[in-house]
Structures are given as C-alpha cells and as structure tokens.
Amino acid sequence: MKPVISSIEIENRVITAKYQRLMVGAKVVLVEKASGRQVPETVTRVASPVPVGALRIRMPAAIRPGTYFLKAFNGHGEDAAQSADFEIG
C-alpha cells in the first residue's frame, strides 16, 4: 500500500499532519504549489519506527500566503506521498 499524508491542521504557524505507511527516515517538506518550490526551512524527518503517526512543521516567518502541500520522500530520495493542497493566509 502507498504512503499517505492526511489531516492537515494549521495553528499558530505550526502545521500538523497525520501520516500512514511512511517509514523511519522519510523526509517531509512544505512545497509552494504555484512555483513548485520546496521551502528548505521546513524539512522534517520521520523519526518513529512506527509507520503511523503525526508530524509537526513550524512555518518560518517568510512564508507568503498561498496554496501549499506537503511532499514526502523515502530514504532513497524518491517521491513517497503528497498531501492535499491547503491554504496559508
């Protein structure tokens, strides 16, 4: 089964996302939809050996309003999962 990033919540400039089937060492990054640019300050690694959990990403002050999504890469740097689009205002 394919990894999934779901249930995106934003509160106090912190993104919380639930994931399923992401393995330890997977990298998750915030991506601006319009440009496809990854926001390097938001890179988070899955540290839990359990493939189900949640991760938190603190947004830097320089994040502009717009449409974004989270993208996960496996330990080999290959695409693993992508969240639904969400708005940052």
Side-chain angles (χ1 to χ4, degrees):
M1 297 201 71
K2 190 171 170 113
V4 175
I5 300 172
S6 62
S7 183
I8 306 295
E9 295 179 18
I10 302 171
E11 187 174 332
N12 295 326
R13 301 199 56 82
V14 175
I15 300 168
T16 303
K18 293 183 181 176
Y19 63 85
Q20 297 175 5
R21 296 180 291 281
L22 278 180
M23 303 310 283
V24 66
K27 179 176 78 168
V28 180
V29 65
L30 181 66
V31 179
E32 183 181 33
K33 184 176 181 178
S35 68
R37 182 182 73 87
Q38 295 180 14
V39 182
E41 300 90 350
T42 64
V43 174
T44 302
R45 291 204 179 268
V46 174
S48 172
V50 180
V52 175
L55 52 87
R56 294 169 48 95
I57 298 174
R58 182 165 300 282
M59 291 187 288
I63 292 289
R64 296 177 297 212
T67 304
Y68 291 81
F69 59 87
L70 296 177
K71 188 162 189 135
F73 301 92
N74 65 21
H76 303 290
E78 301 163 334
D79 289 356
Q82 182 173 316
S83 74
D85 296 348
F86 56 91
E87 295 294 319
I88 294 177

